[in-house]
Amino acid sequence: MSWLRGTGAAKTGRDRGRSEPNAMPGLSRLSATALIFGILLASAGVAFAGLGQPTPWQIGLQAPASPVMDQISRFNTFLFWLTTAIALFVLILLAIIIVRFNGRANPTPSRTTHNTPLEIIWTIVPVIILATIAVPSFRLLFSQLDVPHPDLTVKATGKQWFWTYSYPDNGNFEFSSLMIPEKDLKPGQPRLLAVDNEMVVPVNKVVHVLVTGADVIHSFAVPSFGIRIDAIPGRMNDTWFKATTEGVFYGQCSELCGKDHSFMPIAIRVVSESDFNKWIDDAKKKYATDDSAAHDAVAQVRTPAVQ
Ligand SMILES: [Cu+2]
């Protein structure tokens, strides 16, 4: 069964060969430039749509695949336009001042030092703006911290330099997940992100993730799910996500944790419930007779694991 999703997106139609004999060459050049700009933006839109992993030339967030990331994306867009409007407003004010109130245009400056209505406005308007930001911000914070009743719990332990995942309510098996070196990558597997054993979860189910560190502080982060939480030795942090789309979603350790910090990616495969149950059955057998436990042994020799 191949669950790997293709991430390449076909580029759509272009107005190729659109040459209009035009009496206004300047205007047609302008529209050609606008067209090219539009095409560039459209391709950038393709780049924005990277699901589960970064894409070349991506400048926005990764596409959301959970309700929390949906909220984060919307909040991010809202803040972007709000700050753009504020920056433009200040820019316009500055331009007016530069043009109308310079030494030449306005040789006798006003001596006014107070203007009560204006002072009230410039105090109240920022308060309103901050309140407008605070309300969705707190709503987002609560939905991140309020874990709904979970359908499944997975414990992720950060180790130097890989992750182990255990499924306490599904047989309590545990396995290690190591990055696949570049030379062993199969087609479609992203460099520095693909792992040998992915964490597997069912689609549209609330997954409660317990996160801890075995040696130093790591951080469990998956952008498409909008989760990032520190993996701290001796402490059990938790977060949650509900994947709304099947596919593979990648993340990385996001706390500097040593020399191979960049080489301990996180890969979460989201599958249908029946595929998940099949995987659980296989995983119980596979990881019960776990000869890959050597990874854990290595980590435990280096630094004793914290339970
Ligand atoms: Cu780490």
Side-chain angles (χ1 to χ4, degrees), residues 218 253 255 257 261 264:
H218 302 269
C253 175
E255 178 67 61
C257 61
H261 159 66
M264 49 178 298

Side-chain angles (χ1 to χ4, degrees), residues 159 161 163 216-219 253-258 261 264:
K159 300 180 177 175
W161 285 274
W163 293 90
V216 296
I217 302 178
H218 302 269
S219 176
C253 175
S254 298
E255 178 67 61
L256 281 173
C257 61
H261 159 66
M264 49 178 298

Side-chain angles (χ1 to χ4, degrees), residues 262-284:
S262 346
F263 308 114
M264 49 178 298
I266 295 151
I268 302 182
R269 185 178 288 277
V270 180
V271 298
S272 67
E273 194 169 2
S274 58
D275 281 343
F276 175 73
N277 291 334
K278 260 181 259 160
W279 178 81
I280 283 284
D281 288 342
D282 291 348
K284 276 182 197 162

Side-chain angles (χ1 to χ4, degrees), residues 131-278:
T132 320
I133 294 173
V135 171
S137 166
F138 281 113
R139 200 181 297 140
L140 175 60
L141 204 61
F142 285 125
S143 54
Q144 286 176 316
L145 293 179
D146 251 358
V147 183
H149 187 265
D151 296 304
L152 165 81
T153 303
V154 181
K155 180 181 159 204
T157 309
K159 300 180 177 175
Q160 284 178 317
W161 285 274
F162 59 98
W163 293 90
T164 61
Y165 299 113
S166 68
Y167 286 67
D169 46 11
N170 276 286
N172 206 21
F173 57 86
E174 182 168 42
F175 60 91
S176 304
S177 180
L178 279 88
M179 189 190 78
I180 300 176
E182 203 171 339
K183 61 179 173 43
D184 301 330
L185 286 176
K186 294 194 186 77
Q189 287 185 320
R191 181 179 152 269
L192 299 179
L193 292 176
V195 300
D196 55 357
N197 297 312
E198 292 151 341
M199 167 177 163
V200 178
V201 297
V203 70
N204 287 323
K205 297 280 178 198
V206 175
V207 183
H208 187 199
V209 191
L210 306 175
V211 181
T212 190
D215 33 44
V216 296
I217 302 178
H218 302 269
S219 176
F220 188 82
V222 183
S224 284
F225 297 150
I227 54 174
R228 171 181 304 226
I229 190 144
D230 275 358
I232 302 170
R235 185 190 165 106
M236 189 65 78
N237 275 344
D238 68 335
T239 184
W240 72 282
F241 68 89
K242 185 167 103 173
T244 47
T245 324
E246 291 183 27
V248 188
F249 299 87
Y250 295 97
Q252 290 175 305
C253 175
S254 298
E255 178 67 61
L256 281 173
C257 61
K259 81 172 175 61
D260 284 349
H261 159 66
S262 346
F263 308 114
M264 49 178 298
I266 295 151
I268 302 182
R269 185 178 288 277
V270 180
V271 298
S272 67
E273 194 169 2
S274 58
D275 281 343
F276 175 73
N277 291 334
K278 260 181 259 160

Side-chain angles (χ1 to χ4, degrees), residues 27-170:
L27 197 67
S28 90
R29 209 173 305 135
L30 197 71
S31 54
T33 316
L35 186 71
I36 292 169
F37 193 65
I39 289 170
L40 280 177
L41 269 183
S43 342
V46 170
F48 295 154
L51 187 67
Q53 60 180 286
T55 43
W57 296 97
Q58 174 190 336
I59 54 170
L61 301 173
Q62 284 184 33
S66 79
V68 166
M69 188 57 196
D70 253 346
Q71 272 195 61
I72 294 176
S73 287
R74 266 185 275 128
F75 188 47
N76 178 58
T77 311
F78 164 68
L79 285 184
F80 171 78
W81 289 114
L82 188 72
T83 47
T84 303
I86 292 171
L88 279 178
F89 175 67
V90 174
L91 193 71
I92 290 167
L93 285 187
L94 281 176
I96 292 173
I97 289 164
I98 289 167
V99 173
R100 287 190 49 192
F101 297 99
N102 64 52
R104 239 175 303 140
N106 187 40
T108 343
S110 152
R111 298 277 166 202
T112 312
T113 54
H114 287 289
N115 184 318
T116 310
L118 194 61
E119 283 165 20
I120 290 173
I121 289 170
W122 76 42
T123 306
I124 286 178
V125 169
V127 169
I128 293 173
I129 293 175
L130 288 179
T132 320
I133 294 173
V135 171
S137 166
F138 281 113
R139 200 181 297 140
L140 175 60
L141 204 61
F142 285 125
S143 54
Q144 286 176 316
L145 293 179
D146 251 358
V147 183
H149 187 265
D151 296 304
L152 165 81
T153 303
V154 181
K155 180 181 159 204
T157 309
K159 300 180 177 175
Q160 284 178 317
W161 285 274
F162 59 98
W163 293 90
T164 61
Y165 299 113
S166 68
Y167 286 67
D169 46 11
N170 276 286

